[in-house]
Amino acid sequence: MSDDRLRRQLQAQAVVNRQLHAQLAEVTAELRAVKGNDANTVRVLWQRIESVLPRSVASKVERRVRGALGTPAGPRRARPARPAARERTETHDWLDELHGTGPLEDEPTLVQDPEGDLFVIEGSLRRPVPRMIVGALLTAEMGQPEPVTAEVIGELDEGPPVDLLQAPSGPPFVIVGGRRRPVNGLAIPHDVEDDQAERFEEGRPLRVYRLQQAVAAKRQEGTTSSAAPAATVVGRIRARWPG
Amino acid sequence: MSVPVTVIVPVYGGLDDVVACLGSVVRHGADVPIELLVIDDASPQPEVAVFVDQFGEQDHPIPVRVLHNPQNVGFVRTVNRGLAATKGDVVILNSDTQVTAGWLDRMVEAAAADDVATVTPLTNFGSICTIPASVIDAFDLAGDAPRIDECAQFVARASLGLRPDVITGVGFCMLMRRDAIDVLGGFDEETFGLGYGEEVDFCLRASRVGFRHVVEDSTFVYHHGGGSFGESRRLGLARGSAILHGRYGFFRPANRRERTENPLAVPFAALELALDTRDPSRRQVLHILHSSPGALGGTEKHLRSLIEALRGEYDASILFPVESGFVLRTMWFTGDGPPVEREMLFPGAAGRVDKLVDDVAAETLRAVLDVDHYDAVHIHNLIHHSLAPLHALEDFDGQVVCSVRDLYLACPNHWLLFRNQAACGIPEDLEVCAACLPPTRGMAREDLEAFRGAVGDHIDVVDHWVFASQSAADYMLRAYDLDPGRIELIQHGAIIDVDRARRPLDPALVTDEPLRVGFVGMGWPKKGLDVVNRVADRLGDTSIEIHHFGKLRADPSPRVHVHGTYDNEVLPELLDLSGIQVVLLPAPYAETFGHVLTEAFVAGRPVIGTSYGALAERIRASGAGWTVDPDDPESVEALVRALDRHRPEILRAAEAAHELVLRPVAETAHRYAELYRRPDDTEPATAGATAPTEGEPRR
């Protein structure tokens, strides 16, 4: 390629760089203007970033933009070769709903239904606790779950699950009682590259849910003998309801 | 003889387009073996069939065959008939296109690699291969008289010849290699019926078995667009799209990714750049700046005025840092209109330049010097560039001019304030610096010595050191042994419209009103806010008012009347409206010029200024004010009280200010024009040859 052509290619590439940079600056400015609690707006703007920037560029600026946001609302981008833990939109919906209530005055209550499923009761919401590890953490913090009947659980509105979330910075957290509760000391997998992982033959999977089932069964055995009167919990829950 | 490339043109009505299309194919021919196969798909207009028959019977520079479908079978089946009737590579060419010189040879060349299945040229109407709107407009391609051949020549000349890969070819004009046809068969006529999507389907099938699709980005083929299928186009596209997305789950995300990655972005940017080329006979200066040239600072305004004043002789480009690297803004002038402005980003991390010589900054400047020709480089500020420009300019063969607008080159703590408090005056004893630099710049004495050593080693890179005041030159000379022959004193000139803003101070305002003193500029200690606050507090027992104009970066005294940020251009009006009689500039920082001082003089206001640096130099030379020691607020207070008691002194100094010669930047421009020229260049100066210096009376 001639010097002239190389020169023109460099100029053209630099023009494209500048266009991308201008688009990024525009969207970043909009993001900066967004209040940290406006997750819907953040989501829309984030989609704009992804639509205007090549992935190679977007990935480089992602951390910086998230830092500018100062909010966990920016969705995590799943690494291509790994399954996404959760749908982004689903997580955003949780965050929107939970933020709408703000910090709660009354302490949430950890309960367990006859099936052994755990819930956190917040106001008139029942929030399922789908993960064993979260259930264990909450139990350690909030005490043993109070048993409730299926009817009582059925009367409550289904709320977002109490699940692990993670922002670009800071430790993982759960949202309980309208507050972000950091989870310290959680085991985090070590990142390795695909080719490193693929050097090993794949064996039978280890399934977390089996552990979860085992612990739940054990917990149910224990709760049948130490159950507090269900009416107490129901009365407390109903007492919080308006009217 | 090798198997020819067959250009298959399915025809269904649209006689005018067909005439133009076939005519262009035979007119431009090709160096490679070529034949033209026209297949009339039972066009409803009899004249079409008659025309293609006559066309087939005529003598042409290339072989021409004509086939007729006994009944209308649609585009896809017609193409497949053509594929079956040929043996070599083919080009499927819509009948509403017009090819251009050299088109087929370049497309065949682009298809030379074994793994290429299809090649598509650029066009004015063809999905991702559509050239930028600015190019379409430039050659009237959307109008009634498109300049097709001119556009094709332009594209061939301006193209980078990158031949980027794309997910799929585009069907208006698509070369299909026989290897791919043999592996994949033809178009899927069962699914795609009358058309729309069949070429994408073919390409996606080809990709699955490892073929690529490329765009021949130096070839332009005109496409009238939509003519072959009229109103059914929209519906056909929708139907084809639905089938494709259903059949190929990966296509939608791949398509989305291609739109954002845009493999044609760089080729198209090259075309747009080539639309407006710089006149190479004009001189050009590269300006190195520390911030966006659109900023409101004095340096930026001065530079803009300078570039405008020199537009008759010099094009300009400005290199400045942004968060993601360095931006090069070009300003090419033609006639009296606005310049051709373009911005290019050279990626890096300019915001984090913390090395003595930043490699990215150096490489960026070298790249900038490579991509265009510059007669001179004018350094206005090296902050965020590090010392890299002095290194990168070592081999530059033009003139290097460095305006010393601050004393950064003398000390990275360019305010020259010991621990950001009192003026240091560039001490000879570096032990003083050893006590200052750690808290102010995180540097040790050794770092300063290394910094000055690095500057000193490259001091001769600069051909002309420009100072706006003698005092600035004196400061620099304390740090470096500059060649006196390279030192130029050029006052900046006013960056506001002197003719419009010039006014005398109203004597009645001085004699009849309380004394109002205006502190103008950034409200922080480096510009004297601490002094102003103390003076304001101590004058609490008087009617004297202290006002501040500018951005605040620290808390003012409650006794200071705060007016907020302002634009230099309207400062004289603001001073009038606020009834200010005297301007106070007590910065401990030694100014190298002081644009605010000029603006105060333009407004006819006398100035109380710092007793050293450019303010003192200019105030003493003009007699239009008084100097004070910013380390001694009591003396400032005493002077203000004295002026309050002796108003005639204010009137005297105000008259001196009003009588000063104050030149706009444009009248200083010829000095720079001279510096930008090489020593062997004898071109005469173009503007304001002998403007008087400030300090001389206007009468």
Side-chain angles (χ1 to χ4, degrees), chain B residues 4-325:
Chain B
V5 179
T6 304
V7 180
I8 301 174
V9 181
V11 170
Y12 182 74
L15 180 60
D16 291 345
D17 283 339
V18 172
V19 171
C21 175
L22 302 184
S24 71
V25 174
V26 297
R27 184 168 69 253
H28 291 295
D31 289 340
V32 297
I34 176 178
E35 68 167 347
L36 173 60
L37 173 58
V38 184
I39 308 177
D40 175 34
D41 189 18
S43 293
Q45 300 90 351
E47 61 270 24
V48 174
V50 171
F51 168 76
V52 295
D53 280 338
Q54 289 175 345
F55 188 84
E57 290 164 4
Q58 292 166 357
D59 285 336
H60 297 293
I62 62 172
V64 176
R65 278 194 289 161
V66 174
L67 299 176
H68 290 278
N69 290 340
Q71 61 186 29
N72 179 253
V73 297
F75 180 85
V76 177
R77 289 184 173 85
T78 303
V79 169
N80 279 351
R81 184 183 180 194
L83 297 180
T86 55
K87 292 194 169 96
D89 297 347
V90 302
V91 177
I92 309 301
L93 186 65
N94 279 11
S95 62
D96 58 346
T97 60
Q98 292 181 50
V99 299
T100 55
W103 74 290
L104 189 62
D105 295 313
R106 287 195 294 269
M107 288 182 67
V108 168
E109 188 181 297
D114 288 341
D115 61 346
V116 170
T118 72
V119 178
T120 308
L122 300 184
T123 184
N124 56 304
F125 184 76
S127 184
I128 193 173
C129 295
T130 305
I131 54 178
S134 56
V135 182
I136 290 175
D137 292 344
F139 295 96
D140 303 319
L141 299 177
D144 294 334
R147 289 148 51 210
I148 297 167
D149 290 333
E150 276 183 64
C151 180
Q153 289 166 13
F154 166 77
V155 170
R157 186 178 67 249
S159 166
L160 298 173
L162 297 178
R163 290 177 178 158
D165 281 17
V166 287
I167 302 172
T168 72
V170 186
F172 71 98
C173 173
M174 188 169 80
L175 184 148
M176 301 163 66
R177 284 190 56 223
R178 181 57 60 172
D179 288 351
I181 298 168
D182 288 344
V183 170
L184 303 162
F187 288 165
D188 179 352
E189 59 186 43
E190 295 303 321
T191 306
F192 291 96
L194 292 173
Y196 296 111
E198 72 285 347
E199 83 279 23
V200 176
D201 175 75
F202 177 87
C203 291
L204 294 178
R205 281 189 282 132
S207 299
R208 279 181 161 179
V209 295
F211 282 109
R212 295 187 294 128
H213 311 283
V214 302
V215 175
E216 210 310 276
D217 60 332
S218 60
T219 298
F220 173 76
V221 169
Y222 175 76
H223 185 202
H224 189 236
S228 298
F229 294 85
E231 292 301 313
S232 64
R233 176 179 169 76
R234 189 180 59 80
L235 291 173
L237 281 172
R239 179 177 165 279
S241 176
I243 294 171
L244 289 168
H245 289 306
R247 181 175 283 186
Y248 305 100
F250 64 88
F251 183 46
R252 193 183 299 278
N255 213 6
R256 189 180 301 131
R257 178 168 181 163
E258 183 173 84
R259 280 203 301 273
T260 54
E261 298 278 1
N262 192 2
L264 282 154
V266 172
F268 285 168
L271 295 184
E272 293 199 282
L273 281 172
L275 278 179
D276 293 303
T277 52
R278 201 175 75 79
D279 177 355
S281 68
R282 284 173 55 81
R283 295 186 178 92
Q284 182 172 210
V285 179
L286 173 65
H287 298 274
I288 294 178
L289 194 60
H290 64 305
S291 62
S292 167
L296 290 176
T299 300
E300 294 84 355
K301 288 187 172 182
H302 178 264
L303 174 57
R304 292 200 296 272
S305 300
L306 185 61
I307 289 172
E308 179 64 26
L310 292 174
R311 63 179 289 160
E313 186 176 357
Y314 287 98
D315 287 335
S317 290
I318 307 170
L319 182 67
F320 60 95
V322 294
E323 197 175 357
S324 302

Side-chain angles (χ1 to χ4, degrees), chain B residues 328-547:
Chain B
L328 179 69
R329 177 183 294 180
T330 64
M331 301 174 72
W332 301 338
F333 295 94
T334 51
D336 295 330
V340 174
E341 288 198 30
R342 290 214 180 83
E343 288 197 347
M344 306 175 197
L345 174 69
F346 294 82
R352 291 196 292 276
V353 167
D354 54 5
K355 297 178 189 166
L356 207 59
V357 178
D358 185 80
D359 292 340
V360 173
E363 281 310 307
T364 297
L365 181 52
R366 290 190 183 103
V368 167
L369 294 173
D370 275 344
V371 298
D372 211 340
H373 174 77
Y374 297 98
D375 297 276
V377 174
H378 188 162
I379 299 169
H380 295 266
N381 200 313
L382 285 174
I383 291 175
H384 300 311
H385 292 270
S386 75
L387 299 179
L390 295 181
H391 285 240
L393 289 167
E394 273 181 329
D395 299 326
F396 179 63
D397 63 353
Q399 297 293 288
V400 177
V401 178
C402 183
S403 284
V404 181
R405 296 176 185 272
D406 61 39
L407 276 301
Y408 171 75
L409 285 176
C411 177
N413 187 22
H414 64 87
W415 297 99
L416 302 186
L417 296 175
F418 180 77
R419 294 184 171 175
N420 287 337
Q421 291 168 358
C424 75
I426 306 184
E428 288 185 10
D429 182 359
L430 292 189
E431 285 304 312
V432 179
C433 305
C436 169
L437 287 172
T440 56
R441 281 293 182 273
M443 295 173 69
R445 166 188 171 150
E446 293 72 25
D447 298 326
L448 175 64
E449 289 173 326
F451 181 87
R452 287 189 180 162
V455 175
D457 288 345
H458 294 82
I459 206 90
D460 289 340
V461 167
V462 176
D463 298 292
H464 305 286
W465 294 93
V466 177
F467 298 91
S469 64
Q470 182 61 52
S471 66
D474 291 343
Y475 275 115
M476 191 71 170
L477 285 165
R478 290 188 201 178
Y480 302 105
D481 184 20
L482 298 183
D483 177 355
R486 298 187 182 204
I487 294 177
E488 306 285 340
L489 285 182
I490 307 177
Q491 289 194 346
H492 286 325
I495 56 176
I496 66 174
D497 184 345
V498 176
D499 291 339
R500 185 197 63 76
R502 196 87 201 244
R503 66 203 60 208
L505 178 59
D506 180 2
L509 181 65
V510 177
T511 55
D512 302 343
E513 301 268 337
L515 180 60
R516 298 188 190 91
V517 179
F519 168 45
V520 183
M522 180 69 78
W524 64 333
K526 287 170 180 168
K527 288 284 187 177
L529 179 63
D530 288 349
V531 180
V532 171
N533 283 345
R534 289 187 62 179
V535 170
D537 290 342
R538 295 170 68 98
L539 291 172
D541 60 339
T542 71
S543 62
I544 300 170
E545 297 174 12
I546 306 291
H547 294 244

Side-chain angles (χ1 to χ4, degrees), chain A residues 62-240:
Chain A
E62 184 176 336
R63 190 176 301 126
R64 180 159 57 81
V65 173
R66 284 183 177 172
L69 277 174
T71 167
R76 291 177 65 75
R77 190 197 306 280
R79 295 178 65 164
R82 295 183 182 173
R86 285 288 178 272
E87 287 294 322
R88 286 183 208 152
T89 50
E90 182 184 38
T91 315
H92 280 300
D93 291 340
W94 301 348
L95 294 170
D96 290 350
E97 188 172 350
L98 290 170
H99 188 269
T101 62
L104 301 180
E105 287 181 15
D106 294 315
E107 283 296 316
T109 308
L110 185 65
V111 301
Q112 187 173 35
D113 71 4
E115 299 294 321
D117 292 332
L118 287 178
F119 297 87
V120 169
I121 308 301
E122 292 181 356
S124 61
L125 287 182
R126 65 167 193 269
R127 297 183 57 200
V129 183
R131 296 186 184 283
M132 178 205 67
I133 184 71
V134 177
L137 290 167
L138 294 178
T139 300
E141 187 70 20
M142 301 167 71
Q144 285 295 323
E146 297 183 23
V148 290
T149 64
E151 289 74 21
V152 169
I153 285 293
E155 284 185 53
L156 298 166
D157 296 324
E158 179 91 14
V162 181
D163 208 343
L164 280 171
L165 303 169
Q166 186 161 23
S169 60
F173 61 92
V174 295
I175 296 175
V176 177
R179 290 183 170 81
R180 175 166 46 84
R181 307 282 300 271
V183 179
N184 292 331
L186 189 68
I188 304 291
H190 295 274
D191 273 355
V192 297
E193 298 301 328
D194 287 336
D195 55 354
Q196 293 175 308
E198 285 161 9
R199 284 186 296 183
F200 299 90
E201 187 180 338
E202 186 163 331
R204 282 191 299 119
L206 302 171
R207 303 184 191 282
V208 172
Y209 78 85
R210 287 191 176 160
L211 179 62
Q212 192 163 353
Q213 285 172 336
V215 172
K218 189 171 177 59
R219 182 183 286 132
Q220 192 161 12
E221 286 172 18
T223 54
T224 48
S225 58
S226 61
T232 309
V233 178
V234 175
R236 221 168 45 232
I237 293 168
R238 285 192 168 141
R240 295 177 192 158

Side-chain angles (χ1 to χ4, degrees), chain A residues 1 3-22 24 28 32 49-57 61 64, chain B residues 156-162 257 260-261 265-267 269-270 272-273 320 322-324 327 329 332 342-347 367-368 370-372:
Chain A
M1 189 179 278
D3 283 353
D4 173 63
R5 188 158 290 192
L6 273 174
R7 187 176 295 123
R8 289 190 292 114
Q9 182 171 350
L10 181 56
Q11 289 177 332
Q13 182 64 63
V15 166
V16 173
N17 290 343
R18 183 54 169 159
Q19 290 165 352
L20 292 172
H21 179 254
L24 173 64
T28 305
R32 286 183 197 278
I49 284 187
E50 293 189 314
S51 69
V52 300
L53 287 180
R55 176 153 299 202
S56 56
V57 177
V61 302
R64 180 159 57 81
Chain B
R157 186 178 67 249
S159 166
L160 298 173
L162 297 178
R257 178 168 181 163
T260 54
E261 298 278 1
V266 172
E272 293 199 282
L273 281 172
F320 60 95
V322 294
E323 197 175 357
S324 302
V327 168
R329 177 183 294 180
W332 301 338
R342 290 214 180 83
E343 288 197 347
M344 306 175 197
L345 174 69
F346 294 82
V368 167
D370 275 344
V371 298
D372 211 340

